[in-house]
């Protein structure tokens, strides 16, 4: 018996070493952790239970029949994050460059299948040279098997991708179909074709980092949500992030005990809105003063800063926050902001996360660039997302809510459950000056100024909307947290269903 145990231990030790110490050292020299080190940081201590440790590839071409490394380049299993179950796969770059073989793909599929069966999030750590070149089409088939499961799992269990090395070619499409992507600066990249192919085809010279590094994807493309300095920072952030998430679409949002009083008043919010309506203020301040302990996990902070999206908690339970940011483009909705917030709203709705919307929006961003790039279609995404969402929706208009953007931002008309306004709210078709210049075209500047003052006096307040019941109550800014907390309590058992359909047809 002791022999058998010794053999097992030797086999395990061999598997744990992946591609060997030399390759582990090379991984460390690049500032990267190994697949197993990453899992150790991601999960609670000693909680990881590995499966398929002894799986090997089945390729016999190009001398592969003589190279077998147990595990085949991906470490898979499950464990806990702060006591809650998650499923994990972590590609091991020390084994055939983390490349994806048929068996490697089967291991990932098993993780996704198991997670779906019991309803728990999947975290995929990507560090791979792509399709296992020696295997050819078997590898491509493996990718497609993973893609199919990513799609079936979408909206059923949260899927988070951590990109911690190369992720290129068709391989990018698995993370791209997950809910959120975190990247590591300088050591991770994602692109469909790399710099060499780009140079051959288009004659452009570009580095990997410029083409598809963490900064590119979290600022320009919005392919990724957040960029971190190193592996450890990204893994610890993933732990915080998972703490906000329900385990699946059948579970309630998690509750975390908080010492923050639900009725905490924030007097400073009463003076936040500047006297001059064109002067910006930082909407982050409202968010941080509203949510428990000021703890807010922002997604896509570096992309479309004119809208803020992220997760916080109220009375310990997760909420999604969407907020116009007057500090960037005056808080206008543009293409990028609409797409960013639409996807976020749909995620929240899929996972029963109530949405709190803070509104200060002067309208859609004008310009040929916006029109020619399809602001109509992209703006419709956000409108569609809010309109179809059945989770509790609480909206607070802090200042401007002009034009179509008023409708879009979780208005009463889109089934907002509780629509509040601060006394500083201005709800109108457009800003006073623009409105008067249209209605009183050709009048003298003095008359325009007089009419503008009249228009402001009439419309630059929340009371006309409140008279119509479009605003449920005008609330004092300092009581925002209290009102939102109370509202969420009352909406806890909200029941609302959309008509049966196979699926909708959101403008893509
Ligand atoms: C098999 C691979 C591999 C691959 C890397 N390796 N990529 N083995 N299939 N795709 C192996 C190397 O042979 C090497 O083995 C080890 O991994 C580390 O690779 P290095 O090149 O030494 O590392 P580095 O210099 O860091 O470069 C990393 C790299 C490069 C940029 C990823 O390896 C590379 O360009 N690989 C090929 C990428 C590629 O073209 N993949 C196919 C893309 S098409 P040893 O034994 O020396 O340690 C694709 C289609 C997917 O993925 C379609 C899905 C639908």
């Amino acid at each position: 018996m002791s022999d058998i145990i010794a053999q097992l231990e030797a086999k395990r030790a061999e598997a744990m070493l992946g591609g060997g110490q030399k390759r582990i050292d090379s991984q460390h020299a690049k500032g990267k952790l190994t697949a197993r080190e990453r899992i150790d940081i991601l999960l609670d201590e000693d909680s990881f239970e590995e499966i398929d440790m002894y799986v090997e590839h089945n390729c016999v071409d190009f001398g592969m029949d003589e190279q077998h490394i147990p595990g085949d380049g991906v470490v898979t299993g499950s464990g806990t994050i702060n006591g809650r179950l998650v499923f994990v796969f972590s590609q091991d770059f020390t084994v055939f460059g983390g490349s994806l073989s048929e068996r490697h793909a089967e291991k990932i599929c098993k993780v996704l299948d198991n997670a779906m069966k019991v309803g728990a999030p999947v975290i995929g750590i990507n560090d791979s040279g792509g399709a296992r070149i020696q295997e050819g089409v078997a590898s491509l088939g493996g990718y497609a098997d993973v893609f199919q499961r990513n799609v079936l799992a979408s909206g059923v269990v949260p899927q988070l991708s951590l990109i911690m090395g190369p992720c290129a070619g068709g391989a990018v499409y698995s993370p791209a179909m997950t809910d959120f992507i975190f990247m590591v600066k300088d050591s991770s990249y994602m692109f469909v074709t790399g710099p060499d192919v780009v140079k051959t085809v288009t004659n452009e010279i570009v580095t990997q980092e410029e083409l598809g590094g963490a900064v590119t994807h979290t600022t320009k493309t919005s392919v990724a949500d957040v960029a971190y300095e190193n592996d450890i920072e990204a893994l610890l952030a993933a732990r915080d992030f998972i703490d906000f998430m329900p385990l699946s679409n059948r579970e309630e949002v998690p509750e975390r005990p908080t010492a923050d009083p639900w009725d905490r008043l924030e007097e400073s919010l009463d003076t936040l809105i500047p006297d001059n309506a064109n002067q910006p203020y930082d909407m982050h301040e409202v968010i941080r003063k509203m949510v428990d302990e000021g703890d807010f996990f922002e997604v896509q902070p570096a992309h479309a800063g004119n809208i803020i999206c992220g997760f916080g908690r109220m009375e310990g339970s997760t909420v999604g926050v969407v907020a116009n940011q007057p500090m960037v483009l005056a808080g206008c909705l543009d293409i990028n902001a609409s797409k960013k917030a639409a996807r976020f709203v749909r995620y929240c709705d899929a996972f029963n996360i109530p949405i709190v919307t803070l509104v200060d929006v002067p309208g859609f961003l004008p310009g040929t660039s916006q029109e020619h790039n399809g602001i109509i279609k992209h703006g419709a995404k956000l409108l569609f997302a809010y309109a179809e969402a059945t989770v509790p929706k609480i909206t607070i208009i802090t200042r401007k809510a002009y034009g179509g953007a008023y409708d879009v931002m979780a208005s009463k008309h889109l089934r907002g459950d509780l629509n509040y306004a601060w006394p500083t709210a201005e709800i109108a078709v457009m800003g006073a000056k623009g409105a008067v210049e249209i209605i009183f075209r050709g009048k003298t500047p003095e008359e325009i100024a007089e009419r503008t003052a009249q228009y402001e006096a009439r419309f630059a307040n929340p009371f006309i909307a409140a008279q119509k019941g479009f605003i449920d109550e005008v609330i004092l800014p300092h009581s925002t947290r209290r009102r939102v907390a109370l509202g969420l309590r009352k909406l806890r058992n909200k029941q609302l269903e959309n008509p049966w359909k196979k699926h909708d047809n959101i403008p893509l």
Side-chain angles (χ1 to χ4, degrees), residues 344-419:
F344 183 78
V345 165
R346 296 192 99 213
Y347 177 82
C348 290
D349 190 47
F351 288 102
N352 310 313
I353 299 172
I355 301 165
V356 179
T357 304
L358 301 171
V359 183
D360 187 347
V361 63
F364 281 95
L365 184 68
T368 49
S369 158
Q370 289 291 309
E371 297 291 348
H372 292 174
N373 285 297
I375 183 64
I376 296 175
K377 180 169 277 198
H378 299 297
K381 291 183 165 115
L382 183 55
L383 174 55
F384 200 115
Y386 268 126
E388 71 175 346
T390 55
V391 286
K393 294 188 278 197
I394 299 184
T395 306
I396 297 143
I397 301 174
T398 59
R399 189 168 61 176
K400 297 171 193 167
Y402 290 167
Y406 154 74
D407 279 343
V408 169
M409 293 300 296
S411 62
K412 184 56 90 192
H413 324 279
L414 302 185
R415 302 187 294 180
D417 295 299
L418 288 168
N419 291 71

Side-chain angles (χ1 to χ4, degrees), residues 11 159 264 386:
K11 233 174 161 26
Q159 298 181 77
R264 171 171 48 78
Y386 268 126

Side-chain angles (χ1 to χ4, degrees), residues 128-317:
S128 166
R132 177 89 45 90
I133 293 166
Q134 296 90 334
E135 289 203 12
V137 71
S139 162
L140 301 185
Y143 270 117
D145 291 338
V146 175
F147 298 160
Q148 178 66 67
R149 281 165 178 79
N150 288 136
V151 172
L152 295 179
S154 180
V156 178
V157 293
Q159 298 181 77
L160 170 63
S161 297
L162 307 180
I163 314 296
M164 298 195 151
C167 182
V172 295
Y173 287 110
S174 172
M177 286 189 295
T178 62
D179 298 304
F180 295 96
I181 300 181
F182 297 170
M183 291 183 78
V184 178
K185 288 183 195 164
D186 301 320
S187 62
S188 73
Y189 51 86
M190 298 176 78
F191 35 67
V192 174
T193 54
D196 293 346
V197 178
V198 168
K199 182 163 185 295
T200 311
V201 177
T202 70
N203 226 3
E204 291 166 289
I205 296 172
V206 65
T207 63
Q208 285 183 345
E209 190 61 27
E210 280 163 3
L211 187 62
V215 172
T216 298
H217 282 315
T218 52
T219 54
K220 283 190 190 154
T221 69
S222 85
V223 163
D225 292 279
V226 197
Y228 293 97
E229 294 299 327
N230 54 50
D231 285 11
I232 295 176
E233 206 183 89
L235 292 158
L236 294 178
R239 286 179 60 87
D240 288 345
F241 184 77
I242 289 292
D243 277 350
F244 284 98
M245 296 303 132
L247 294 179
S248 76
N249 63 345
R250 289 172 193 274
E251 298 274 337
E252 301 276 313
V253 292
E255 263 189 62
R256 179 158 141 168
T258 174
D260 199 351
W262 68 274
D263 55 355
R264 171 171 48 78
L265 300 180
E266 281 291 347
E267 307 292 345
S268 61
L269 290 181
D270 290 342
T271 51
L272 180 68
I273 305 292
D275 290 338
N276 178 350
N278 295 322
Q279 201 177 315
Y281 60 93
D282 189 357
M283 191 62 100
H284 281 110
E285 194 176 330
V286 184
I287 299 171
R288 296 216 181 264
K289 286 179 172 164
M290 178 180 74
V291 298
D292 291 354
E293 291 145 25
D295 187 9
F296 182 59
F297 196 112
E298 187 170 351
V299 296
Q300 300 200 13
H303 176 78
N306 38 335
I307 206 153
I308 304 167
C309 298
F311 300 98
R313 294 185 188 86
M314 294 296 297
E315 295 197 82
S317 297

